[in-house]
Amino acid sequence: MTAAAILLSGCASTGSASKTVDLETVRAGISEIQDAPAMMELPSDDITSFLGVNPENYTTAVCFVPMMNVTATEVLLFQYETDTQKTAIQTALDKRLSQLENTWSQYLPAQYDLVKACTAVDENQVLGYIIGEEAFVTSVKQLISNNTK
């Protein structure tokens, strides 16, 4: 089992099926979630430098990260077409989750609890995770569900 699978298995999974997710609509919806901590969307140019995922390893990415290092809330979702792409994404997610665990385990316990309770997404050729308060995670999961056909 890869380290990514080990880390992501610690997150609650949203299940699997074979449908299509409209991540562009999910992206827009995340921007509109009320009471979410201040987050910024990573432009596609920054995804490679921030996460180490090259553009050829995904078809669409939705990456929201905290604007300030006082919250662990973030959303990283990648749509892929091949197993090779999925493996590259999973490796990057593993590295990011490890960084988050290291950071928050030594900083703010409440935020560390959010990291430990992350929700993994691995369905319909979308791989990623959601970290945040329960209402935020529920809102993002609902956006994904509502935009899956």
Side-chain angles (χ1 to χ4, degrees):
M1 182 180 291
T2 67
I6 293 168
L7 279 177
L8 286 177
S9 68
C11 300
S13 179
T14 60
S16 68
S18 57
K19 298 179 180 181
T20 302
V21 180
D22 180 356
L23 281 184
E24 294 301 328
T25 305
V26 171
R27 172 195 327 270
I30 290 171
S31 299
E32 297 172 5
I33 294 175
Q34 299 295 316
D35 301 323
M39 294 186 301
M40 62 181 184
E41 184 174 5
L42 284 180
S44 57
D45 295 347
D46 292 343
I47 292 172
T48 300
S49 60
F50 186 77
L51 296 169
V53 180
N54 295 318
E56 64 268 9
N57 288 323
Y58 59 89
T59 55
T60 308
V62 174
C63 300
F64 285 88
V65 296
M67 289 185 86
M68 298 169 49
N69 271 344
V70 294
T71 177
T73 300
E74 68 181 46
V75 178
L76 300 180
L77 301 170
F78 293 90
Q79 202 156 42
Y80 62 90
E81 294 175 340
T82 68
D83 288 342
T84 301
Q85 289 176 322
K86 183 178 181 179
T87 299
I89 295 164
Q90 197 166 30
T91 299
L93 293 174
D94 173 45
K95 181 178 177 185
R96 179 65 181 156
L97 283 171
S98 181
Q99 291 169 340
L100 290 172
E101 286 190 357
N102 289 335
T103 297
W104 295 109
S105 68
Q106 301 172 34
Y107 187 36
L108 296 173
Q111 297 304 306
Y112 181 50
D113 288 342
L114 294 179
V115 172
K116 292 188 300 185
C118 74
T119 297
V121 176
D122 186 2
E123 63 182 307
N124 304 315
Q125 293 188 293
V126 173
L127 184 65
Y129 63 77
I130 309 160
I131 296 174
E133 298 289 341
E134 186 175 340
F136 176 78
V137 172
T138 299
S139 294
V140 175
K141 286 171 46 179
Q142 190 64 50
L143 280 168
I144 294 168
S145 177
N146 290 349
N147 292 287
T148 301
K149 297 178 180 30

